[in-house]
Amino acid sequence: MGDLELKQRWGAFKFYCIAILILLAAGYGGYSVGNWQSENQQQQISGLQNTIDEFNKENNRLTRKVNILGVELEIEKRANQQAQQDLEHAFSENQQVRNELSFYQKVMAPELGNEGFVIDSMNFQSTSVERHFRYSLILMQQERRKNFVKGTVTIKLQGSLKGQMQELDLLSLQDPQKTSLGFHFRYFETLNGEVDLPDNFIPEKIMIKARMTHQGSKNATFERTFDWSEMLDQASEE
């Protein structure tokens, strides 16, 4: 049945009313569907926004935790470094105390040798000036000796110069008029000095001879040889 037949059967007024109702129903239905879709999309967007907010909160929490752990790790690292430094310092102090104890044990010991006299050590230390060195020589005797001892010391450097073996007088290198050092002590004495080694001279050994004089007794002579490289190693460790 066509539009023309409906118009003729129902009349023009009824036809247009029905058409308007159909259009209103269709429009309302379209609006309802669109509104439902819009609300549904809003709910989905709100849900996604809530998820994003939760992710941001979790991310911030984890970031703070990582920062705290980083600070704790740095503090622990510095604490370990400080502990290592303290341990090294304690070890150094302990070694120094042991060296001092060993030194005084030698002074106090009754078995140091003939006449209780000993050439304890000889050390050389390099300086900022090329081939210029500082040296120290330690002499000692045991405690049971009540009298002062005195005498002289000569120091020889043995090495090579331009491929030839040479023996130099250390004290003459400082002062051509000096060939020996005098000492006078009861327990121990340190003899210090500085020296410039000749160019191209390669030292290998230090030979020390101490001549001790006693009133009412014959003279006594003591000798000791030190390796040059070992003396420099000991000086660098100290």
Side-chain angles (χ1 to χ4, degrees), residues 119-122 137 154-159 167 204-210 222-231 234:
I119 301 172
D120 178 73
S121 62
M122 179 75 179
L137 171 64
T154 58
I155 306 173
K156 303 291 185 180
L157 291 175
Q158 187 179 79
E167 186 174 293
E204 297 177 1
K205 295 181 179 181
I206 308 294
M207 297 175 293
I208 302 172
K209 181 180 292 186
F222 304 88
E223 297 182 4
R224 187 171 179 183
T225 300
F226 296 91
D227 184 79
W228 173 265
S229 61
E230 291 181 356
M231 284 190 299
Q234 292 175 357

Side-chain angles (χ1 to χ4, degrees), residues 27-45:
Y28 180 77
Y31 172 78
S32 299
V33 172
N35 188 47
W36 175 83
Q37 289 179 342
S38 177
E39 291 179 354
N40 188 42
Q41 289 177 349
Q42 288 296 330
Q43 291 177 355
Q44 291 179 351
I45 292 173

